[in-house]
Amino acid sequence: MGLFDRIGRVVRANLNDLVNKAEDPEKILEQAVIEMQEDLIQLRQAVAQTIAQQKRSQQQYNQAQSQANQWQSRAQLALQKGDENLAREALQRKKGYLETANTLEISLRQQTEQVETLKRNLVSLESKISEAKTKKNMLKARAQAAKANEQLNNVLGGINTSSATSVFERMEEKVMIQEAKSQAAAELMGSGLEEQFRALEEGSDVDDELAAMKAQLAGAPANQPQLSPSAPTDSSTSNPEIDNELEELRRELNK
């Protein structure tokens, strides 16, 4: 392969690539429909011109036939009058108009066939344009959906999902810590109340026991040993051992 052939192929490949990239489906479809509508206008004009020519040929044919009939009548009239030369001239005129009529008849048949063909093509083109418009709208919708999907994928592709996931995980951990603190505060509050009530209950037991001891001492049970007559009965008299025990008890309680 020659150098210039290789260069030409590279150039054509690059041009095709540029054209493919520049082709916008919506614009291309719109332009295609516009061109088809322009063809429809031209076809309608051609049909109109052919029909007009057909009508003109029909008029010319009718006129030629009429002239041929008229010269036929004149030839008969001249022959009745005994003028053969005039009759012959009239027949010559008749022949010329008949030849013209025959030529126009052939042209008229061709024009009629052409008009019918153009009409069929016109109907077919109108149907294709209608179909093209429907397909164009469908393809445009698909193209727009594809563009939107591509943009969405680009947006999703640009999102750092790992970073977003880590953010949610950190926030969830903070919420769990806050919940744990709230629960702990509620438990501490409840524990404080329980301790207070327990202290009240314990204090009540001690008071009850102290009252029972006082009642027992005030009752002086019978089996309690009697004091010796020689022992002092004055309550102001102190017992060293009892005083020492009481003092030791006070120190223990004050610790």
Side-chain angles (χ1 to χ4, degrees), residues 79-232:
L79 188 60
Q80 289 174 0
K81 298 295 184 179
D83 191 347
E84 292 183 4
N85 292 329
L86 187 58
R88 186 180 289 108
E89 184 66 26
L91 290 174
Q92 288 292 335
R93 295 287 184 90
K94 170 194 171 184
K95 182 181 178 181
Y97 281 109
L98 285 176
E99 290 176 354
T100 301
N102 291 333
T103 302
L104 290 171
E105 185 179 9
I106 295 172
S107 178
L108 187 60
R109 284 199 300 265
Q110 293 175 350
Q111 290 172 353
T112 302
E113 292 176 357
Q114 187 177 8
V115 168
E116 294 299 326
T117 302
L118 291 174
K119 285 182 177 180
R120 287 194 298 269
N121 292 336
L122 182 63
V123 172
S124 176
L125 183 56
E126 289 176 344
S127 177
K128 288 181 179 179
I129 290 176
S130 178
E131 182 181 355
K133 287 181 178 180
T134 302
K135 193 170 184 179
K136 179 199 69 174
N137 294 332
M138 180 184 65
L139 292 176
K140 284 179 65 176
R142 289 173 58 184
Q144 291 174 357
K147 286 183 179 179
N149 190 28
E150 182 180 2
Q151 292 176 355
L152 178 60
N153 290 332
N154 292 334
V155 171
L156 293 177
I159 296 177
N160 189 351
T161 55
S162 59
S163 176
T165 303
S166 63
V167 170
F168 278 97
E169 291 177 352
R170 288 190 293 105
M171 293 302 103
E172 182 179 6
E173 184 179 357
K174 286 188 176 183
V175 171
M176 292 175 63
I177 292 174
Q178 292 177 353
E179 291 175 348
K181 288 181 179 180
S182 176
Q183 184 177 1
E187 291 178 356
L188 289 175
M189 182 179 295
S191 175
L193 291 174
E194 291 178 358
E195 291 294 334
Q196 292 179 10
F197 280 106
R198 188 178 295 110
L200 291 175
E201 292 173 356
E202 291 178 355
S204 178
D205 293 340
V206 172
D207 292 340
D208 293 341
E209 186 177 358
L210 181 60
M213 291 177 66
K214 289 181 179 181
Q216 185 177 3
L217 291 174
N223 57 357
Q224 184 176 1
Q226 298 292 328
L227 295 175
S228 172
S230 59

Side-chain angles (χ1 to χ4, degrees), residues 27-39 132:
K27 294 180 180 179
I28 296 298
L29 291 171
E30 192 70 32
Q31 182 62 31
V33 172
I34 291 174
E35 292 176 356
M36 293 178 70
Q37 289 177 338
E38 291 176 351
D39 293 339

Side-chain angles (χ1 to χ4, degrees), residues 52-64:
Q53 185 64 37
Q54 179 190 20
K55 290 182 178 180
R56 184 177 179 182
S57 298
Q58 184 68 48
Q59 292 174 355
Q60 291 175 348
Y61 172 77
N62 294 336
Q63 290 175 358

